[in-house]
Amino acid sequence: MAGTGSRRWRATLALLAMLALFATSAIGAGTRPGPERAGAAAPRSSAATNSAYAIVDAAGGVLTFGGAGYEGDTLNLALARPIVSAAADPAGGYWLVASDGGVFTFGQANFFGSTGGLVLNSPVVGMAATGDGGGYWLVASDGGIFAFGDAGFFGSTGGIRLNQPVTTMRATPTGFGYYLLGRDGGIFNFGDAGFFGAVPGLVTGASAAIPKVAMATSQTR
């Protein structure tokens, strides 16, 4: 896409990158210590119980709040494509992913692979990490799934003609399934992800045309 539509789409991707990250070290709100080298692996430790969040922008700038630990960013790197999503490592640290599928690791998050060197049919729009931090998935706007590390492949919509592009994904708590969300609110569930409904057919009128850009999952008690 080009022109105004492209700029609006990139702005949407930047909003999608504002994800909640859970980290181990307690750092004050909005602090940014000196960055570590992207891709550096560190010894893994158990995750802390307190949670907080970080905000990530399209340039890969990271601001931490509450007890989230700052581990670095991509502001000093010449990115080929903007950052579109992020995921937290349960043991501490996080991954950032660009729209070309390039993955940048910080803190204890390890590098398991990327699509940065591949020619993609559609840009990457989201990512999710496995529960043990031993892998992650990338999802493209056509619903194509790229699994790395111990992340299993349970299916995709890469070979299906979608009514609207995929905007994000979420993994199940077990790590044996995931959901893809379409721009129209369509839900695609794979693995042990159960289907409980979707927006198409439920919401009508002007509300149906509003892009659906994020989702959250919860574990039934």
Side-chain angles (χ1 to χ4, degrees):
M1 292 182 292
T4 302
S6 179
R7 289 193 294 273
R8 288 177 179 172
W9 180 242
R10 286 196 295 270
T12 299
L13 295 180
L15 289 175
L16 290 176
M18 296 181 180
L19 302 179
L21 301 180
F22 299 91
T24 56
S25 58
I27 297 179
T31 55
R32 180 178 283 160
E36 296 184 7
R37 178 175 59 86
R44 303 177 67 81
S45 62
S46 60
T49 57
N50 67 313
S51 62
Y53 56 87
I55 293 176
V56 183
D57 62 35
V62 176
L63 284 175
T64 63
F65 298 83
Y70 174 84
E71 302 289 353
D73 58 41
T74 60
L75 289 177
N76 293 325
L77 301 180
L79 298 177
R81 293 292 186 272
I83 298 297
V84 294
S85 191
D89 185 335
Y94 43 83
W95 297 272
L96 307 183
V97 63
S99 63
D100 62 356
V103 173
F104 304 88
T105 67
F106 299 91
Q108 297 188 74
N110 290 321
F111 181 77
F112 300 106
S114 76
T115 63
L118 302 179
V119 177
L120 303 178
N121 293 328
S122 299
V124 168
V125 294
M127 75 179 303
T130 59
D132 64 358
Y136 45 75
W137 298 272
L138 309 182
V139 62
S141 63
D142 63 356
I145 291 288
F146 305 91
F148 299 94
D150 65 4
F153 178 80
F154 304 106
S156 75
T157 63
I160 300 174
R161 183 173 180 176
L162 303 176
N163 292 328
Q164 295 288 332
V166 168
T167 58
T168 191
M169 74 176 296
R170 287 292 181 271
T172 62
T174 64
F176 292 104
Y178 42 77
Y179 297 92
L180 309 185
L181 173 67
R183 190 174 183 269
D184 59 356
I187 291 289
F188 305 91
N189 55 305
F190 300 93
D192 66 359
F195 180 79
F196 306 103
V199 174
L202 180 66
V203 177
T204 59
S207 296
I210 300 174
K212 313 306 183 286
V213 297
M215 68 180 297
T217 59
S218 63
Q219 188 169 6
T220 303
R221 297 183 182 275

